[in-house]
Short mmCIF file of all heavy atoms in Angstrom, two decimals:
data_model
loop_
_atom_site.label_atom_id
_atom_site.label_comp_id
_atom_site.label_asym_id
_atom_site.label_seq_id
_atom_site.Cartn_x
_atom_site.Cartn_y
_atom_site.Cartn_z
N TYR G 1 0.83 -1.21 0.00
CA TYR G 1 0.00 0.00 0.00
C TYR G 1 0.87 1.26 0.00
O TYR G 1 0.58 2.24 -0.70
CB TYR G 1 -0.93 -0.01 1.21
CG TYR G 1 -1.67 1.29 1.43
CD1 TYR G 1 -2.75 1.64 0.60
CD2 TYR G 1 -1.30 2.18 2.44
CE1 TYR G 1 -3.42 2.84 0.78
CE2 TYR G 1 -1.97 3.37 2.62
CZ TYR G 1 -3.03 3.70 1.80
OH TYR G 1 -3.69 4.89 1.98
N LEU G 2 1.94 1.24 0.77
CA LEU G 2 2.78 2.42 0.94
C LEU G 2 3.86 2.57 -0.13
O LEU G 2 4.46 3.64 -0.26
CB LEU G 2 3.46 2.37 2.31
CG LEU G 2 2.54 2.52 3.53
CD1 LEU G 2 3.28 2.09 4.79
CD2 LEU G 2 2.06 3.96 3.66
N GLY G 3 4.12 1.50 -0.87
CA GLY G 3 5.26 1.51 -1.77
C GLY G 3 6.56 1.34 -1.01
O GLY G 3 7.61 1.84 -1.41
N GLY G 4 6.49 0.60 0.10
CA GLY G 4 7.67 0.35 0.92
C GLY G 4 8.39 -0.92 0.49
O GLY G 4 8.11 -1.48 -0.57
N THR G 5 9.29 -1.40 1.34
CA THR G 5 10.10 -2.57 1.03
C THR G 5 9.82 -3.70 2.01
O THR G 5 9.70 -3.47 3.22
CB THR G 5 11.60 -2.21 1.07
OG1 THR G 5 11.87 -1.24 0.06
CG2 THR G 5 12.47 -3.45 0.83
N ILE G 6 9.73 -4.91 1.47
CA ILE G 6 9.49 -6.12 2.26
C ILE G 6 10.80 -6.87 2.40
O ILE G 6 11.47 -7.13 1.39
CB ILE G 6 8.47 -7.04 1.55
CG1 ILE G 6 7.20 -6.28 1.18
CG2 ILE G 6 8.16 -8.27 2.40
CD1 ILE G 6 6.46 -6.87 0.00
N VAL G 7 11.16 -7.24 3.62
CA VAL G 7 12.33 -8.09 3.85
C VAL G 7 11.82 -9.46 4.30
O VAL G 7 11.06 -9.57 5.26
CB VAL G 7 13.27 -7.50 4.92
CG1 VAL G 7 14.42 -8.46 5.22
CG2 VAL G 7 13.81 -6.14 4.47
N LEU G 8 12.24 -10.50 3.59
CA LEU G 8 11.82 -11.86 3.92
C LEU G 8 12.97 -12.64 4.53
O LEU G 8 14.11 -12.55 4.06
CB LEU G 8 11.33 -12.59 2.67
CG LEU G 8 10.10 -12.01 1.96
CD1 LEU G 8 9.77 -12.85 0.72
CD2 LEU G 8 8.89 -11.97 2.90
N VAL G 9 12.68 -13.40 5.58
CA VAL G 9 13.66 -14.30 6.18
C VAL G 9 13.07 -15.70 6.25
O VAL G 9 11.86 -15.86 6.44
CB VAL G 9 14.11 -13.84 7.59
CG1 VAL G 9 14.92 -12.56 7.50
CG2 VAL G 9 12.91 -13.65 8.51
N ASP G 10 13.93 -16.71 6.10
CA ASP G 10 13.46 -18.11 6.12
C ASP G 10 13.02 -18.54 7.51
O ASP G 10 12.01 -19.22 7.68
CB ASP G 10 14.59 -19.05 5.66
CG ASP G 10 14.91 -18.87 4.19
OD1 ASP G 10 13.97 -18.73 3.39
OD2 ASP G 10 16.10 -18.86 3.87
N THR G 11 13.81 -18.15 8.51
CA THR G 11 13.58 -18.64 9.86
C THR G 11 13.32 -17.49 10.81
O THR G 11 13.57 -16.32 10.49
CB THR G 11 14.80 -19.42 10.36
OG1 THR G 11 15.92 -18.51 10.51
CG2 THR G 11 15.18 -20.53 9.39
N ILE G 12 12.82 -17.82 11.99
CA ILE G 12 12.59 -16.80 13.01
C ILE G 12 13.58 -16.95 14.16
O ILE G 12 13.30 -16.60 15.30
CB ILE G 12 11.13 -16.84 13.53
CG1 ILE G 12 10.78 -18.23 14.08
CG2 ILE G 12 10.16 -16.43 12.43
CD1 ILE G 12 9.41 -18.28 14.74
N TYR G 13 14.76 -17.48 13.84
CA TYR G 13 15.83 -17.51 14.83
C TYR G 13 16.28 -16.09 15.13
O TYR G 13 16.31 -15.23 14.23
CB TYR G 13 17.02 -18.33 14.32
CG TYR G 13 16.70 -19.78 14.10
CD1 TYR G 13 16.97 -20.41 12.88
CD2 TYR G 13 16.12 -20.56 15.11
CE1 TYR G 13 16.69 -21.75 12.67
CE2 TYR G 13 15.83 -21.90 14.91
CZ TYR G 13 16.11 -22.48 13.70
OH TYR G 13 15.81 -23.81 13.49
N PRO G 14 16.65 -15.80 16.38
CA PRO G 14 17.02 -14.42 16.74
C PRO G 14 18.17 -13.87 15.91
O PRO G 14 18.17 -12.68 15.56
CB PRO G 14 17.38 -14.53 18.23
CG PRO G 14 17.55 -15.98 18.51
CD PRO G 14 16.67 -16.70 17.55
N LYS G 15 19.15 -14.73 15.58
CA LYS G 15 20.26 -14.26 14.77
C LYS G 15 19.80 -13.82 13.38
O LYS G 15 20.24 -12.79 12.86
CB LYS G 15 21.32 -15.36 14.64
CG LYS G 15 22.57 -14.93 13.88
CD LYS G 15 23.59 -16.05 13.81
CE LYS G 15 24.82 -15.62 13.01
NZ LYS G 15 25.82 -16.72 12.91
N SER G 16 18.90 -14.61 12.76
CA SER G 16 18.38 -14.25 11.44
C SER G 16 17.64 -12.92 11.48
O SER G 16 17.76 -12.09 10.57
CB SER G 16 17.43 -15.35 10.92
OG SER G 16 18.08 -16.58 10.84
N ILE G 17 16.84 -12.73 12.54
CA ILE G 17 16.07 -11.49 12.68
C ILE G 17 17.00 -10.30 12.88
O ILE G 17 16.87 -9.27 12.22
CB ILE G 17 15.08 -11.61 13.85
CG1 ILE G 17 14.05 -12.72 13.57
CG2 ILE G 17 14.37 -10.28 14.09
CD1 ILE G 17 13.18 -13.07 14.77
N ALA G 18 17.96 -10.43 13.81
CA ALA G 18 18.89 -9.33 14.09
C ALA G 18 19.72 -8.97 12.87
O ALA G 18 19.94 -7.78 12.57
CB ALA G 18 19.78 -9.70 15.27
N GLU G 19 20.18 -9.98 12.13
CA GLU G 19 20.97 -9.72 10.93
C GLU G 19 20.14 -9.02 9.86
O GLU G 19 20.63 -8.12 9.17
CB GLU G 19 21.55 -11.02 10.39
CG GLU G 19 22.69 -11.57 11.22
CD GLU G 19 23.26 -12.86 10.67
OE1 GLU G 19 22.60 -13.47 9.78
OE2 GLU G 19 24.34 -13.28 11.13
N ALA G 20 18.87 -9.43 9.72
CA ALA G 20 18.00 -8.80 8.72
C ALA G 20 17.78 -7.33 9.05
O ALA G 20 17.82 -6.47 8.16
CB ALA G 20 16.67 -9.53 8.65
N ILE G 21 17.55 -7.03 10.33
CA ILE G 21 17.35 -5.63 10.74
C ILE G 21 18.60 -4.83 10.45
O ILE G 21 18.54 -3.71 9.91
CB ILE G 21 16.99 -5.56 12.24
CG1 ILE G 21 15.65 -6.26 12.50
CG2 ILE G 21 16.91 -4.10 12.70
CD1 ILE G 21 15.33 -6.44 13.98
N SER G 22 19.74 -5.39 10.82
CA SER G 22 21.01 -4.68 10.66
C SER G 22 21.38 -4.46 9.19
O SER G 22 21.75 -3.36 8.78
CB SER G 22 22.11 -5.47 11.37
OG SER G 22 23.36 -4.85 11.21
N VAL G 23 21.25 -5.51 8.38
CA VAL G 23 21.68 -5.45 6.97
C VAL G 23 20.75 -4.58 6.13
O VAL G 23 21.20 -3.79 5.30
CB VAL G 23 21.76 -6.87 6.37
CG1 VAL G 23 21.95 -6.81 4.86
CG2 VAL G 23 22.88 -7.66 7.03
N HIS G 24 19.44 -4.72 6.36
CA HIS G 24 18.47 -4.05 5.49
C HIS G 24 17.91 -2.75 6.07
O HIS G 24 17.11 -2.08 5.42
CB HIS G 24 17.31 -5.00 5.18
CG HIS G 24 17.72 -6.23 4.43
ND1 HIS G 24 18.06 -6.22 3.11
CD2 HIS G 24 17.86 -7.52 4.85
CE1 HIS G 24 18.39 -7.43 2.72
NE2 HIS G 24 18.29 -8.24 3.76
N GLY G 25 18.30 -2.40 7.28
CA GLY G 25 17.77 -1.18 7.89
C GLY G 25 16.28 -1.27 8.16
O GLY G 25 15.53 -0.32 7.91
N VAL G 26 15.86 -2.43 8.67
CA VAL G 26 14.43 -2.64 8.95
C VAL G 26 13.93 -1.61 9.96
O VAL G 26 14.58 -1.34 10.98
CB VAL G 26 14.19 -4.07 9.49
CG1 VAL G 26 12.79 -4.22 10.07
CG2 VAL G 26 14.44 -5.09 8.39
N THR G 27 12.77 -1.03 9.67
CA THR G 27 12.18 -0.04 10.57
C THR G 27 10.95 -0.57 11.30
O THR G 27 10.62 -0.08 12.38
CB THR G 27 11.77 1.22 9.79
OG1 THR G 27 10.80 0.87 8.79
CG2 THR G 27 12.97 1.87 9.10
N CYS G 28 10.26 -1.57 10.71
CA CYS G 28 9.03 -2.09 11.29
C CYS G 28 9.08 -3.61 11.30
O CYS G 28 9.46 -4.23 10.31
CB CYS G 28 7.80 -1.66 10.48
SG CYS G 28 7.72 0.09 10.15
N MET G 29 8.66 -4.20 12.41
CA MET G 29 8.58 -5.66 12.45
C MET G 29 7.40 -6.09 13.31
O MET G 29 7.00 -5.39 14.23
CB MET G 29 9.87 -6.27 12.98
CG MET G 29 10.20 -5.94 14.41
SD MET G 29 11.72 -6.75 15.00
CE MET G 29 11.13 -8.43 15.24
N MET G 30 6.86 -7.24 12.98
CA MET G 30 5.78 -7.84 13.77
C MET G 30 6.26 -9.19 14.27
O MET G 30 6.76 -10.01 13.50
CB MET G 30 4.52 -8.02 12.92
CG MET G 30 3.47 -8.94 13.54
SD MET G 30 2.73 -8.34 15.07
CE MET G 30 1.29 -7.47 14.42
N GLY G 31 6.14 -9.40 15.58
CA GLY G 31 6.57 -10.67 16.15
C GLY G 31 5.76 -11.02 17.38
O GLY G 31 4.86 -10.29 17.77
N LEU G 32 6.10 -12.15 17.97
CA LEU G 32 5.50 -12.57 19.23
C LEU G 32 6.47 -12.26 20.36
O LEU G 32 7.68 -12.13 20.15
CB LEU G 32 5.20 -14.06 19.20
CG LEU G 32 4.21 -14.56 18.16
CD1 LEU G 32 4.15 -16.08 18.18
CD2 LEU G 32 2.82 -13.98 18.39
N ALA G 33 5.93 -12.18 21.57
CA ALA G 33 6.76 -11.85 22.72
C ALA G 33 8.00 -12.74 22.85
O ALA G 33 9.11 -12.22 23.11
CB ALA G 33 5.91 -11.91 24.00
N PRO G 34 7.89 -14.07 22.65
CA PRO G 34 9.10 -14.91 22.78
C PRO G 34 10.21 -14.55 21.79
O PRO G 34 11.39 -14.74 22.09
CB PRO G 34 8.57 -16.32 22.51
CG PRO G 34 7.12 -16.27 22.86
CD PRO G 34 6.68 -14.90 22.47
N MET G 35 9.83 -14.03 20.61
CA MET G 35 10.85 -13.61 19.64
C MET G 35 11.69 -12.47 20.20
O MET G 35 12.92 -12.44 20.06
CB MET G 35 10.20 -13.17 18.33
CG MET G 35 9.46 -14.26 17.58
SD MET G 35 8.73 -13.59 16.07
CE MET G 35 7.75 -15.00 15.54
N TYR G 36 11.01 -11.52 20.85
CA TYR G 36 11.73 -10.38 21.43
C TYR G 36 12.56 -10.82 22.63
O TYR G 36 13.66 -10.29 22.87
CB TYR G 36 10.74 -9.29 21.81
CG TYR G 36 10.04 -8.66 20.61
CD1 TYR G 36 8.71 -8.92 20.34
CD2 TYR G 36 10.74 -7.84 19.74
CE1 TYR G 36 8.07 -8.36 19.24
CE2 TYR G 36 10.13 -7.26 18.63
CZ TYR G 36 8.78 -7.54 18.38
OH TYR G 36 8.18 -6.99 17.29
N GLU G 37 12.05 -11.79 23.38
CA GLU G 37 12.82 -12.35 24.50
C GLU G 37 14.14 -12.93 24.00
O GLU G 37 15.22 -12.66 24.56
CB GLU G 37 12.01 -13.45 25.20
CG GLU G 37 10.78 -12.97 25.93
CD GLU G 37 11.06 -12.68 27.40
OE1 GLU G 37 12.24 -12.52 27.75
OE2 GLU G 37 10.08 -12.59 28.17
N THR G 38 14.07 -13.75 22.96
CA THR G 38 15.28 -14.41 22.45
C THR G 38 16.23 -13.41 21.79
O THR G 38 17.44 -13.59 21.82
CB THR G 38 14.93 -15.52 21.45
OG1 THR G 38 14.11 -14.99 20.39
CG2 THR G 38 14.16 -16.64 22.14
N MET G 39 15.67 -12.34 21.21
CA MET G 39 16.53 -11.30 20.64
C MET G 39 17.34 -10.63 21.74
O MET G 39 18.54 -10.36 21.57
CB MET G 39 15.68 -10.26 19.90
CG MET G 39 15.24 -10.67 18.52
SD MET G 39 14.28 -9.38 17.69
CE MET G 39 15.51 -8.09 17.51
N LEU G 40 16.69 -10.35 22.88
CA LEU G 40 17.42 -9.73 23.99
C LEU G 40 18.51 -10.65 24.52
O LEU G 40 19.60 -10.20 24.88
CB LEU G 40 16.44 -9.36 25.11
CG LEU G 40 15.53 -8.15 24.86
CD1 LEU G 40 14.62 -7.91 26.05
CD2 LEU G 40 16.36 -6.90 24.57
N GLU G 41 18.22 -11.94 24.57
CA GLU G 41 19.23 -12.90 25.00
C GLU G 41 20.43 -12.88 24.05
O GLU G 41 21.59 -12.95 24.47
CB GLU G 41 18.62 -14.30 25.07
CG GLU G 41 17.59 -14.47 26.19
CD GLU G 41 16.90 -15.81 26.13
OE1 GLU G 41 17.29 -16.67 25.30
OE2 GLU G 41 15.94 -16.03 26.90
N LEU G 42 20.14 -12.81 22.73
CA LEU G 42 21.21 -12.75 21.74
C LEU G 42 22.05 -11.49 21.92
O LEU G 42 23.29 -11.54 21.84
CB LEU G 42 20.61 -12.79 20.33
CG LEU G 42 21.58 -12.59 19.16
CD1 LEU G 42 22.49 -13.81 19.03
CD2 LEU G 42 20.83 -12.35 17.86
N LEU G 43 21.39 -10.36 22.17
CA LEU G 43 22.11 -9.09 22.29
C LEU G 43 23.01 -9.03 23.51
O LEU G 43 23.88 -8.16 23.60
CB LEU G 43 21.10 -7.94 22.30
CG LEU G 43 20.30 -7.74 21.01
CD1 LEU G 43 19.25 -6.65 21.18
CD2 LEU G 43 21.22 -7.41 19.84
N GLU G 44 22.78 -9.94 24.46
CA GLU G 44 23.67 -10.01 25.62
C GLU G 44 25.04 -10.56 25.23
O GLU G 44 26.03 -10.33 25.94
CB GLU G 44 23.04 -10.90 26.70
CG GLU G 44 21.81 -10.31 27.37
CD GLU G 44 22.13 -9.04 28.14
OE1 GLU G 44 23.22 -8.99 28.75
OE2 GLU G 44 21.31 -8.10 28.13
N HIS G 45 25.10 -11.29 24.12
CA HIS G 45 26.34 -11.96 23.73
C HIS G 45 26.98 -11.38 22.47
O HIS G 45 28.17 -11.59 22.23
CB HIS G 45 26.07 -13.46 23.51
CG HIS G 45 25.52 -14.15 24.71
ND1 HIS G 45 24.16 -14.34 24.91
CD2 HIS G 45 26.14 -14.67 25.81
CE1 HIS G 45 23.97 -14.96 26.06
NE2 HIS G 45 25.13 -15.18 26.62
N LYS G 46 26.19 -10.67 21.67
CA LYS G 46 26.74 -10.12 20.44
C LYS G 46 26.03 -8.83 20.08
O LYS G 46 24.81 -8.71 20.26
CB LYS G 46 26.60 -11.13 19.29
CG LYS G 46 27.29 -10.71 18.01
CD LYS G 46 27.25 -11.79 16.95
CE LYS G 46 27.96 -11.36 15.68
NZ LYS G 46 27.93 -12.39 14.63
#
């Protein structure tokens, strides 16, 4: 609708999500609470 960009990832592993945000400059994402939990755990180590 907006003429924006879609980033697709195969898996919902925290590393895949974090890399997609970092590489593509993702501004918006939709996820479940456990996804954000695991992302925070990942950010503690890298």
Side-chain angles (χ1 to χ4, degrees):
Y1 171 74
L2 292 165
T5 297
I6 307 154
V7 176
L8 297 179
V9 292
D10 292 318
T11 66
I12 57 173
Y13 296 127
K15 184 179 178 181
S16 301
I17 296 170
E19 286 180 347
I21 296 170
S22 178
V23 170
H24 297 287
V26 168
T27 61
C28 309
M29 65 178 284
M30 166 65 93
L32 298 174
M35 296 179 188
Y36 294 107
E37 292 267 18
T38 55
M39 281 181 65
L40 286 180
E41 292 173 6
L42 174 70
L43 295 175
E44 291 296 323
H45 302 95
K46 187 174 181 180

